[in-house]
Amino acid sequence: MDQEWAEAAVELNAGYAVLTADGTPTASVPHALVSFQGGFAKLRLPGVDTVQVVSAPAVRLITLHAA
C-alpha cells in the first residue's frame, strides 16, 4: 500500500508524546513526515528509524509545510 507523506510540524495534546532521535519523549515536533490513515497520524521523525503512530485524539495541531 502506497502512502503519501507530507512535511509538517506536529503538536500533541497533554499526556501524549513521541520519541526523538535520542529517545527523549516530546509533544512538539517542528519537522516530521506525516501520513494519515483512518483516525491515525503516522510520524517519521528525523533520525528515528521507526514510524510512530498516534491516534486522532492525541493530535493538537498539524501544520503542513509548503511544498
Side-chain angles (χ1 to χ4, degrees), residues 19-65:
L19 299 178
T20 63
D22 64 1
T24 304
T26 185
S28 181
V29 180
H31 300 285
L33 292 177
V34 180
S35 178
F36 304 99
Q37 184 177 9
F40 297 90
K42 296 180 178 183
L43 307 177
R44 294 172 67 188
L45 278 62
V48 178
D49 293 335
T50 59
V51 173
Q52 300 178 68
V53 180
V54 294
S55 63
V59 177
R60 179 174 174 272
L61 177 67
I62 295 178
T63 305
L64 299 176
H65 298 299

